[in-house]
Amino acid sequence: QQQVKQSPQSLIVQKGGISIINCAYENTAFDYFPWYQQFPGKGPALLIAIRPDVSEKKEGRFTISFNKSAKQFSLHIMDSQPGDSATYFCAASILGRWMDSSYKLIFGSGTRLLVRP
Amino acid sequence: NAGVMQNPRHLVRRRGQEARLRCSPMKGHSHVYWYRQLPEEGLKFMVYLQKENIIDESGMPKERFSAEFPKEGPSILRIQQVVRGDSAAYFCASSPFSVGDDEQFFGPGTRLTVL
């Protein structure tokens, strides 16, 4: 119930191509879905996030598509660049705004993206 | 505004020793999370603290692990009698959690190696 399943495990894309990473969840109480980018030896950094009241959110070359009925969401990286080579994690959380809410992030297992020049 | 700070960045301990990991949240943030990342895996939630309170420790092993976030000073994750399976990267994240601020900001992590 608390799991977030992420695929693929690794992805190789040519420069200029589109990178697509998919995630699925079971817990319908999740109401916050961020994507994090992590470079080797660094901590994760927030890339883009979406709430379930919208089906798509775009920031620059990064787009989240959200399908509430299928309980799936995906990250699309347009015009992928070698500098995008990193590990990407999807996550989910229950924000709730209740006093005893935890707000903890449940992470997917990660996708290692390599963008070839 | 300095980001989340963690120290030490690398820590080597022998089996049976104690490990103390420190996390200083971003200025103005009063919520701290600890996550553990095993090699080639995603991050797993361990504990969520507010100043002087543990809110959720559902991800923390019941034995040998403890966490605190005192009124003054950094948050501490303490691992007693470390074993080889404790070798991992430990990340701290902080958040202000006022309305509209949902982002957790992560520190650079402490990489613990148990010999």
Side-chain angles (χ1 to χ4, degrees), chain A residues 7-73:
Chain A
S7 63
Q9 193 173 19
S10 61
L11 182 61
I12 300 174
V13 173
Q14 288 297 127
K15 179 183 175 181
I18 302 174
S19 305
I20 302 175
I21 305 171
N22 301 299
C23 284
Y25 63 97
E26 288 295 325
N27 189 348
T28 55
F30 287 143
D31 59 2
Y32 175 65
F33 303 90
W35 284 88
Y36 280 83
Q37 180 188 57
Q38 185 179 31
F39 292 103
K42 305 291 185 184
L46 180 68
L47 200 57
I48 186 172
I50 198 168
R51 297 289 186 95
D53 52 346
V54 297
S55 60
E56 186 175 283
K57 183 175 181 180
K58 184 175 180 179
E59 289 183 3
R61 295 184 295 108
F62 301 93
T63 299
I64 298 179
S65 297
F66 184 80
N67 186 330
K68 189 173 181 178
S69 60
K71 291 184 283 186
Q72 295 176 348
F73 58 110

Side-chain angles (χ1 to χ4, degrees), chain A residues 32 36 38 41-44 46 51 89 95 97 100-105 107-109 112, chain B residues 9 33 35 37 40-43 45 48 56 58 91 97 100 102-104 106-108 111:
Chain A
Y32 175 65
Y36 280 83
Q38 185 179 31
K42 305 291 185 184
L46 180 68
R51 297 289 186 95
F89 293 97
L95 292 186
R97 304 294 177 201
D100 59 350
S101 294
S102 174
Y103 312 118
K104 63 189 176 188
L105 289 167
F107 282 88
S109 53
R112 187 172 290 182
Chain B
R9 294 292 308 276
Y33 297 79
Y35 295 84
Q37 185 176 33
E40 307 299 321
E41 292 188 13
L43 287 82
F45 167 78
Y48 163 46
D56 181 354
S58 59
F91 290 97
F97 261 109
D102 306 318
E103 181 177 352
Q104 292 182 25
F106 282 80
R111 278 146 187 87

Side-chain angles (χ1 to χ4, degrees), chain B:
Chain B
N1 188 7
V4 177
M5 298 176 68
Q6 290 188 249
N7 66 81
R9 294 292 308 276
H10 300 273
L11 182 61
V12 179
R13 285 287 178 266
R14 296 191 179 279
R15 281 180 296 168
Q17 291 184 320
E18 178 180 289
R20 279 186 181 238
L21 288 62
R22 293 175 182 77
C23 168
S24 295
M26 287 179 69
K27 186 177 181 181
H29 290 193
S30 57
H31 300 246
V32 165
Y33 297 79
W34 286 93
Y35 295 84
R36 177 164 63 177
Q37 185 176 33
L38 295 171
E40 307 299 321
E41 292 188 13
L43 287 82
K44 301 282 191 241
F45 167 78
M46 298 182 74
V47 61
Y48 163 46
L49 310 103
Q50 295 177 19
K51 285 281 187 181
E52 300 185 280
N53 283 306
I54 297 175
I55 307 301
D56 181 354
E57 56 184 344
S58 59
M60 200 151 70
K62 295 286 185 274
E63 297 179 354
R64 303 187 298 107
F65 285 74
S66 62
E68 63 176 8
F69 189 16
K71 188 176 180 181
E72 302 290 337
S75 175
I76 306 285
L77 179 67
R78 182 183 177 204
I79 311 172
Q80 294 178 290
Q81 299 173 358
V82 296
V83 300
R84 289 220 173 104
D86 297 332
S87 294
Y90 291 83
F91 290 97
C92 163
S94 74
S95 174
F97 261 109
S98 54
V99 174
D101 286 319
D102 306 318
E103 181 177 352
Q104 292 182 25
F105 295 82
F106 282 80
T110 294
R111 278 146 187 87
L112 172 65
T113 301
V114 179
L115 301 177

